[in-house]
Amino acid sequence: MNKKDPNPIDAFVGSRVRMRRLMIGLSQEKLADGLGITFQQVQKYEKGTNRIGASRLQAIADILGVHPSFFFQQEEGSTQSGRPSGDIHESQEISSFVASKEGIALNRAFLKIADPVLRKKIISLVAAMAQSPESDQSPAQSGTRHTEPLHG
């Protein structure tokens, strides 16, 4: 790890700050105002460039309406030591996506689907699309159309 690279834990905590901030629809400016700092400092916290001190993390947790432990929680794939069991880079990519506007929108929409069978089919569909060499092409370009219904 290069000395200029953010510490993986700082980057993870920052990504959790960003995710929660976006989940509640708070701008970087509003969070910064609540903390008495600049929005550029919030950006540095969210990227992991600057480490968040304990008292500042508590203030962020209060503003975002969560317990400070929220920023350290691993959803899946963590070992008993609390560190990611898989590749740290992949974990950071997942955290980064989940914290993005698209990731939050996708998760919100997915959570509105009540049918567990339909949820599994959507996951299967996306996984198949990700593995397909044709995933970069539209159905018209590839000449194939899948007509299997998603329901049932």
Side-chain angles (χ1 to χ4, degrees):
M1 182 168 86
N2 186 345
K3 286 190 177 208
K4 301 234 180 210
D5 290 338
N7 180 291
I9 294 171
D10 294 331
F12 180 78
V13 169
S15 73
R16 298 283 291 178
V17 169
R18 177 176 167 78
M19 178 179 66
R20 179 64 184 163
R21 180 181 59 75
L22 291 172
M23 284 174 67
I24 65 170
L26 193 68
S27 70
Q28 287 179 333
E29 291 84 5
K30 293 285 186 192
L31 178 57
D33 287 346
L35 296 169
I37 60 175
T38 65
F39 80 91
Q40 290 95 338
Q41 183 63 39
V42 171
Q43 287 176 330
K44 290 178 180 183
Y45 286 155
E46 290 183 355
K47 291 178 183 174
T49 306
N50 286 6
R51 187 168 288 164
I52 305 172
S55 60
R56 179 66 44 88
L57 189 64
Q58 179 65 57
I60 291 170
D62 290 345
I63 292 168
L64 299 180
V66 294
H67 190 273
S69 65
F70 169 85
F71 302 113
F72 298 95
Q73 294 172 345
Q74 294 279 345
E75 306 310 334
E76 291 182 26
S78 62
T79 62
Q80 290 191 354
S81 70
R83 297 191 184 262
S85 61
D87 181 24
I88 290 175
H89 181 70
E90 183 181 13
S91 176
Q92 288 174 335
E93 284 180 345
I94 291 169
S95 293
S96 188
F97 171 72
V98 170
S100 71
K101 289 180 183 177
E102 295 87 3
I104 289 172
L106 182 63
N107 280 297
R108 282 185 175 151
F110 189 79
L111 289 172
K112 291 179 183 177
I113 300 169
D115 183 357
V117 174
L118 180 55
R119 281 182 174 205
K120 287 182 182 179
K121 287 184 177 186
I122 290 170
I123 292 168
S124 295
L125 172 65
V126 173
M129 291 172 67
Q131 297 300 319
S132 170
E134 301 168 349
S135 63
D136 293 334
Q137 299 178 1
S138 69
Q141 288 174 320
S142 66
T144 60
R145 289 182 65 90
H146 299 282
T147 57
E148 181 180 332
L150 288 176
H151 304 306

